[in-house]
Amino acid sequence: VMGEVHVQALRGVNLELYPGEFVVLLGPSGSGKSTLTSLLLRLYDPDDGVIRLDGHDLRDLEARWLRTRIGTVAQEPVLFSTSVAANIRYGRPEASDDEVEAAARKYLDKVGIGDKADAYPAQLSGGQQQRVAIARSLCMRPRIMLFDEPTSALDPEMIKEVLDTMIELAEEGMTMLCVTHEMGFARQVANRVIFMDEGQIVEQNEPEEFFTNPKSDRTKLFLSQILGH
């Protein structure tokens, strides 16, 4: 019988996200990115340290309420087999039918699929399904949008439509934290790029400086492997 192995997924991470900022989080598998995003959603709490939203300790906030303030879009959209409009209702369970219908049209228009409210997820492409997931999160009127590799499960021709939706949100001033390997997108849109490795923030900078003049050897190695130079 093997003994229990304790893994410290994050070590000494200190990160601030400012209103209207779009931060891209990069790093190899196992670097701690997913652990960090899970902590933000209170899927579990940190063993040490504090995470605050608008000055409030996340542990003082009810987890279900918190997840209406931090919208999340995962690698693969988790949609119900009901209509797209009914999926949007999930984001506003307290609203009336009329309010939900208006919200569904509004946010589906915002992500470019306003004509799909009466469709069913099985009738949509992967990119369209992901945009429904984004619209559902937006319907909660979140303070922050958290994207965890939102294009990694999509076919190449569907990636652009999701990234374009995220670019529009960034231009409108939505506060966003995005885990992604889409380097061109990160360079084009992010206000700040953060590189994690072995549970630590190794380096962070504005995109042009990050990609053209990385300081850490670990960052240089990662970029050479990803970008091929």
Side-chain angles (χ1 to χ4, degrees), residues 105-175:
R105 303 288 175 180
K106 172 183 176 180
Y107 290 108
L108 290 172
D109 279 341
K110 183 179 285 290
V111 300
I113 49 173
D115 60 336
K116 300 297 184 182
D118 298 322
Y120 289 82
Q123 300 171 312
L124 305 180
S125 69
Q128 289 171 332
Q129 290 182 29
Q130 195 63 293
R131 285 188 282 167
V132 171
I134 294 172
R136 184 172 61 191
S137 287
L138 290 174
C139 195
M140 298 183 192
R141 295 172 292 195
R143 294 278 285 118
I144 302 168
M145 285 288 286
L146 180 63
F147 295 89
D148 188 359
E149 299 193 31
T151 61
S152 64
L154 297 178
D155 292 335
E157 65 270 19
M158 299 175 187
I159 291 174
K160 185 177 184 299
E161 62 190 53
V162 174
L163 296 182
D164 284 348
T165 297
M166 294 170 65
I167 289 170
E168 289 184 20
L169 292 177
E171 290 174 345
E172 292 172 5
M174 172 63 73
T175 306

Side-chain angles (χ1 to χ4, degrees), residues 15 28 70 75 87 96 100 131 148 165 168 175 203 209 222:
L15 170 64
I70 303 179
Q75 295 182 25
N87 270 275
S96 68
V100 169
R131 285 188 282 167
D148 188 359
T165 297
E168 289 184 20
T175 306
E203 185 167 346
E209 184 70 10
F222 175 78

Side-chain angles (χ1 to χ4, degrees), residues 49-60:
V50 177
I51 305 174
R52 292 188 174 91
L53 174 63
D54 292 335
H56 301 285
D57 188 328
L58 258 59
R59 288 169 291 194
D60 295 333

Side-chain angles (χ1 to χ4, degrees), residues 32-44:
K33 306 185 304 297
S34 293
T35 300
L36 179 58
T37 57
S38 295
L39 289 170
L40 295 175
L41 293 170
R42 278 207 68 193
L43 299 179
Y44 42 83

Side-chain angles (χ1 to χ4, degrees), residues 1 6 8 28 43 59-60 64 81 85-86 114 119 126 170 174 182 208:
V1 179
H6 177 72
Q8 189 172 7
L43 299 179
R59 288 169 291 194
D60 295 333
R64 184 176 178 182
S81 58
M174 172 63 73
E182 297 289 339
E208 199 59 33

